[in-house]
Amino acid sequence: MATTQKDSRKLTSMTFKRPWHRYTKGDRAGFEPERAKQLEERKIAVPTASLKKDAGGETKASNSNSNSNSKSESESAADKA
């Protein structure tokens, strides 16, 4: 049976904001810290961890906006009837 060696490299998970090589917007991939920093500086990708931190506040805001939009749509539909 083959043994696997533990890889000592630490990778940074990055989420792509725009296409780059074989990756498309929204793809996630792990990179060595130096490459991750380059991708972030060039505004190609952002650290996935930073998106998870921001998502909590944005999700709540987007939910409240979608609720208010659906109310206004139903109110405008009632006005038309």
Side-chain angles (χ1 to χ4, degrees), residues 29-76:
F31 294 93
E32 292 184 5
E34 298 83 26
R35 173 64 79 182
K37 184 178 176 184
Q38 291 172 355
L39 291 170
E40 187 173 13
E41 287 173 351
R42 293 173 57 195
K43 299 182 188 212
I44 295 171
V46 294
T48 303
S50 70
L51 291 177
K52 289 180 181 179
K53 289 177 191 174
D54 294 341
E58 290 178 11
T59 303
K60 292 177 186 174
S62 64
N63 286 343
S64 64
N65 288 340
S66 65
N67 289 340
S68 63
N69 288 342
S70 61
K71 287 179 186 175
S72 62
E73 288 174 7
S74 62
E75 289 172 359
S76 63

Side-chain angles (χ1 to χ4, degrees), residues 16-33:
F16 287 85
K17 294 170 56 176
R18 62 185 180 127
W20 183 73
H21 291 282
R22 65 177 166 202
Y23 302 104
T24 60
K25 181 179 177 179
D27 283 351
R28 289 184 290 173
F31 294 93
E32 292 184 5

